[in-house]
Amino acid sequence: MTQTAHTSASSGKQMLSEQVYAHLRDAIMRGDHSPGDALKPQDLAKEQGVSLAVVREALVRLVGEGLADRLPNRGFAVPSFSDRRWQEIAEARRTIEPVVLRMSVERGDVDWEARVRAAHHRLARTPAYAPEEGEYYSGAWSEAHRAFHRTLLEGCGNPVLLETFDRMWTASELARRWSAHHNPDRDYAGEHRRLEEAALSRDADTAAEVLTRHLTQTAAGLTARTDHNPAKRP
């Protein structure tokens, strides 16, 4: 095989892997697969019309993001619904993110302030639900939510800390959605508004306190319903 042909084949495989990864990620986030469900490479390869190698590459990527587990001698599965698992993730976020937010409030410049204001405006103006997406928060709102929280922390100027946030956010996204589904009356808008106000007022203490409370409520909402399987829609 010539170098050009090899490069072309490699690029094609990478594109297929990206497509399969995106498909599986969306399916898991939508709740198409229940917690603990097996993700069988053979079945997925047949369903997507791709090779086992492509599917395994996508699954390994999902494992790295906390959206799938790799089980010894048993293949892959959606993470099991475990109070302990999600509480550990929540504890990590409550420990790290308020510290990074303090740094961000102290270091952020005027451009950061403008980005925070814009990110909050987008979140506040994005509909939380879309009829075609059922009772879970919409994909557009979820992305606006992620962007707002990340923008709040970007003023820290430390890419390693931001990468840590990215990993924790993805790993906790299923739990956050399940918690939101359990407590639809929670005042997310008010919590986010208070976060924006504290950050832009350069009140690091209040900002860290509000964020800690925000993260704690998400964890508490999930803990209250550990006997319920949230991925199954009524």
Side-chain angles (χ1 to χ4, degrees):
M1 179 182 291
T2 66
Q3 182 64 36
T4 300
H6 177 76
T7 301
S8 178
S10 177
S11 177
K13 179 183 176 184
Q14 184 176 0
M15 185 178 299
L16 282 175
S17 179
E18 180 67 30
Q19 291 172 352
V20 173
Y21 156 78
H23 172 81
L24 287 175
R25 189 183 192 283
D26 289 347
I28 291 171
M29 295 309 304
R30 283 195 307 268
D32 293 351
H33 301 283
S34 298
D37 275 1
L39 296 170
K40 300 178 181 178
Q42 295 90 341
D43 293 347
L44 294 171
K46 183 177 180 181
E47 174 189 316
Q48 296 297 308
V50 298
S51 69
L52 275 174
V54 167
V55 170
R56 288 185 181 278
E57 187 175 317
L59 286 169
V60 168
R61 185 173 172 186
L62 289 169
V63 170
E65 293 188 346
L67 293 179
D69 286 338
R70 191 164 195 169
L71 310 177
N73 303 316
R74 292 169 54 197
F76 300 86
V78 177
S80 297
F81 184 69
S82 162
D83 173 59
R84 179 180 176 182
R85 179 192 187 99
W86 302 124
Q87 290 301 315
E88 287 174 345
I89 294 172
E91 181 180 49
R93 292 189 63 191
R94 287 197 303 269
T95 300
I96 296 172
E97 290 182 37
V99 174
V100 181
L101 181 56
R102 282 180 176 277
M103 295 169 60
S104 197
V105 170
E106 293 166 358
R107 299 177 180 179
D109 57 15
V110 174
D111 287 340
W112 168 75
E113 290 183 359
R115 293 198 304 275
V116 168
R117 193 173 296 280
H120 180 260
H121 180 76
R122 177 188 173 197
L123 176 60
R125 294 302 182 94
T126 300
Y129 297 96
E132 65 275 13
E133 295 187 43
E135 72 271 24
Y136 294 100
Y137 281 119
S138 70
W141 187 91
S142 295
E143 173 54 25
H145 184 223
R146 183 202 66 80
F148 172 65
H149 276 271
R150 195 182 198 282
T151 302
L152 279 171
L153 304 185
E154 287 175 355
C156 77
N158 187 320
V160 176
L161 288 173
L162 292 175
E163 288 171 7
T164 300
F165 164 80
D166 290 338
R167 289 195 298 273
M168 291 192 301
W169 181 274
T170 301
S172 68
E173 182 67 358
L174 274 176
R176 188 202 63 72
R177 288 193 178 193
W178 291 341
S179 173
H181 177 51
H182 294 154
N183 186 13
D185 297 325
R186 180 176 167 187
D187 184 17
Y188 275 98
E191 292 175 35
H192 292 138
R193 184 179 63 255
R194 288 187 287 275
L195 267 173
E196 180 206 25
E197 290 171 351
L200 296 185
S201 295
R202 300 291 179 163
D203 186 343
D205 288 341
T206 299
E209 180 184 342
V210 171
L211 180 56
T212 299
R213 198 159 54 237
H214 181 69
L215 297 173
T216 299
Q217 283 188 258
T218 295
L222 184 63
T223 302
R225 295 289 295 276
T226 55
D227 61 335
H228 177 65
N229 183 345
K232 291 294 189 182
R233 299 183 180 182

